[in-house]
């Protein structure tokens, strides 16, 4: 019998972002099963799960519970930036590490967090660089009223203005709010080139359904003229969107193709996080006690390429559009090194694609 190494899994199985959480959880647990089926690993992983049930106030206490009532030193978990920031003080106090598998807004680097999904130079900037020459620079911004929405739209606003564009409107909804009528009415009035949607959960679903109806009424709002763009909507939410997802353009490090191993980038990032933890633990003299600084001291073959300074990873940056019920990749940057503080112009994409022309 191989010895056991405990690993924390901290995802909500209910609440406004349950579909994303379930995708993350599935990826993490599938990697646990993969490691346990592989005799080349000198240990078996045991998942120590806790479910905050969508209540942000539960993340800190449940993180502490994992780190004090089990032998787990590493936790794969959290979906929202709000919940991630809630657990960092607990990680610091207890000496634990969070492997965070969701896209986020950047401008953070913690000694106790590894960011295994994309930051803005790996999702938002490639998306805007691709969209500007194709649709224009009059942009409408909407998002959920918390860190992700605020910060993504702040960076987008700066990029739009730097490109001599215009922000035609900016509106936020509380997480879970589905009253999107005032946003639709404002869109009718300002008629942007495209919409950057940073809403999450039911708010995003209701908005996309209303926007689909608007496109049927007014041809300006069809996806080929004025599309909705996103940095966080993936395959795991297409089922609930139905036809309203058609034409959506999204950015991320992974989109499932016909032979794809994972259902979405959330699932892939969680899976890769657990696999990387296992590979690095296997190279350590005492896997059950190894903490994050020790795991990052030297490179290990396989797993994620982690920047030792910022704890972010190098990832592909893909642009894809929903066509026929699934994402079709439109543009690819094969390997983008992370730049969470947007301080490295060499890691930021240039505007690509055909320039707009006036048709008379």
């Amino acid at each position: 019998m191989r010895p056991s190494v405990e690993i924390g899994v901290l995802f909500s199985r209910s609440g406004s972002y349950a579909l994303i959480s379930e995708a993350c959880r599935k990826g993490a647990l599938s990697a646990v099963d993969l490691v346990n089926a592989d005799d080349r690993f000198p240990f078996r992983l045991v998942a120590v799960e806790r479910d905050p049930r969508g209540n942000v106030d539960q993340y800190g206490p449940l993180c502490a519970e994992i780190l004090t009532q089990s032998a787990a030193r590493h936790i794969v978990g959290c979906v929202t930036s709000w919940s991630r920031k809630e657990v960092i003080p607990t990680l610091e106090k207890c000496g634990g590490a969070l492997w965070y598998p969701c896209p986020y807004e950047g401008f953070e680097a913690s000694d106790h967090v590894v960011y295994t999904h994309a930051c803005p130079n790996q999702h938002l900037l490639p998306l805007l660089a691709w969209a500007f020459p194709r649709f224009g620079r009059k942009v409408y911004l909407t998002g959920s009223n918390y860190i992700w929405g605020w910060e993504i739209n702040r960076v987008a606003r700066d990029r739009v203005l730097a490109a001599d564009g215009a922000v035609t409107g900016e509106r936020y909804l509380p997480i879970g709010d589905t009253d999107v009528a005032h946003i639709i009415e404002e869109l009718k009035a300002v008629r942007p080139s495209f919409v950057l949607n940073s809403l999450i959960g039911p708010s995003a679903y209701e908005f996309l359904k209303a926007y689909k109806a608007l496109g049927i009424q007014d041809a300006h709002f069809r996806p080929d003229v004025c599309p909705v763009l996103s940095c966080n909507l993936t395959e795991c939410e297409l089922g609930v969107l139905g036809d309203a997802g058609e034409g959506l353009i999204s950015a991320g490090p992974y989109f499932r193709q016909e032979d794809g191993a994972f259902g979405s980038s959330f699932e892939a990032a969680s899976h890769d996080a657990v696999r990387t933890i296992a590979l690095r633990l296997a190279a350590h003299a005492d896997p059950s006690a190894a903490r994050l600084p020790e795991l990052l001291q030297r490179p290990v073959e396989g797993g994620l390429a982690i920047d030792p300074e910022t704890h972010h990873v190098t990832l592909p940056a893909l642009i894809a559009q929903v066509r026929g019920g699934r994402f079709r990749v439109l543009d690819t940057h094969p390997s983008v090194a992370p730049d969470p503080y947007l301080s490295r112009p060499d890691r930021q994409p240039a505007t690509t694609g055909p320039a707009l022309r006036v048709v008379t």
Side-chain angles (χ1 to χ4, degrees):
M1 291 289 292
R2 290 178 287 164
S4 296
V5 173
E6 293 183 321
I7 182 172
V9 177
L10 184 64
F11 293 113
S12 292
R13 304 197 67 186
S14 57
S16 296
Y17 41 88
L19 291 174
I20 297 173
S21 292
E22 283 291 353
C24 291
R25 178 177 178 269
K26 180 180 179 181
L29 295 182
S30 70
V32 168
D33 290 341
L34 186 69
V35 168
N36 291 346
D38 189 342
D39 291 337
R40 291 174 295 178
F41 286 96
F43 51 76
R44 297 181 72 260
L45 292 178
V46 176
V48 180
E49 283 200 75
R50 295 294 185 271
D51 178 4
R53 300 184 179 182
N55 182 349
V56 71
D57 294 331
Q58 289 298 307
Y59 280 88
L62 291 177
C63 176
E65 191 173 300
I66 292 172
L67 294 174
T68 59
Q69 297 183 18
S70 79
R73 296 294 92 201
H74 299 270
I75 299 172
V76 180
C78 298
V79 168
T80 66
S81 289
W82 191 359
S83 59
R84 185 189 68 252
K85 290 180 182 293
E86 282 292 312
V87 306
I88 289 177
T90 302
L91 298 168
E92 293 171 346
K93 179 180 178 180
C94 299
L98 176 73
W99 296 66
Y100 180 68
C102 297
Y104 92 113
E105 64 283 345
F107 298 92
E108 180 180 295
S110 168
D111 289 340
H112 293 267
V113 181
V114 178
Y115 306 80
T116 69
H117 208 296
C119 60
N121 79 302
Q122 298 166 318
H123 54 63
L124 178 61
L125 299 194
L127 183 61
L128 294 177
W130 180 87
F132 285 158
R134 290 167 172 81
F135 299 105
R137 293 171 169 81
K138 290 174 56 182
V139 184
Y140 187 94
L141 306 174
T142 187
S144 291
N145 194 24
Y146 85 115
I147 301 162
W148 164 261
W150 304 332
E151 288 298 299
I152 288 296
N153 285 344
R154 178 185 66 81
V155 175
R157 189 187 317 115
D158 289 346
R159 292 288 158 156
V160 170
L161 297 178
D164 295 325
V167 175
T168 62
E170 186 170 351
R171 291 289 177 265
Y172 297 89
L173 292 178
I175 293 175
D177 190 348
T178 58
D179 183 6
V180 300
H182 61 295
I183 298 176
I184 295 299
E185 288 303 314
E186 189 167 51
L187 284 167
K188 291 179 183 178
V190 300
R191 304 180 77 78
S193 305
F194 63 85
V195 178
L196 180 65
N197 168 38
S198 298
L199 295 163
I200 66 168
S203 302
Y205 312 152
E206 190 63 28
F207 171 70
L208 289 168
K209 290 172 183 176
Y211 195 84
K212 173 74 172 182
L214 177 60
I216 294 172
Q217 298 169 4
D218 184 337
H220 175 79
F221 296 99
R222 294 190 321 230
D224 58 326
V225 179
C226 179
V228 175
L229 276 57
S230 172
C231 296
N232 62 310
L233 273 160
T234 72
E235 293 89 343
C236 67
E237 298 176 283
L238 288 185
V240 73
L241 287 174
D243 290 344
E246 284 295 308
L248 171 72
I249 297 172
S250 195
Y254 172 91
F255 291 97
R256 185 177 188 179
Q257 302 306 297
E258 291 183 3
D259 58 347
F262 305 109
S264 69
S265 63
F266 293 109
E267 184 179 335
S270 292
H271 184 98
D272 288 346
V274 172
R275 182 172 176 272
T276 300
I277 293 169
L279 287 168
R280 288 181 176 263
L281 288 176
H284 196 272
D286 186 0
S288 63
R291 302 198 179 201
L292 187 59
E294 299 161 1
L295 294 193
L296 300 184
Q297 280 180 353
R298 57 187 179 183
V300 173
E301 186 177 350
L304 295 167
I306 302 171
D307 180 350
E309 293 185 2
T310 67
H311 293 185
H312 292 65
V313 302
T314 296
L315 293 167
L318 311 178
I319 313 297
Q321 185 173 34
V322 180
R323 297 176 179 173
R326 71 178 183 88
F327 280 104
R328 316 283 177 154
V329 174
L330 307 176
D331 194 33
T332 302
H333 300 265
S335 181
V336 181
D339 180 25
Y341 290 96
L342 300 183
S343 59
R344 297 281 304 271
D346 59 310
R347 297 184 178 185
Q348 300 174 22
T351 300
T352 61
L356 292 174
R357 60 188 178 88
V358 177
V359 178
T360 58

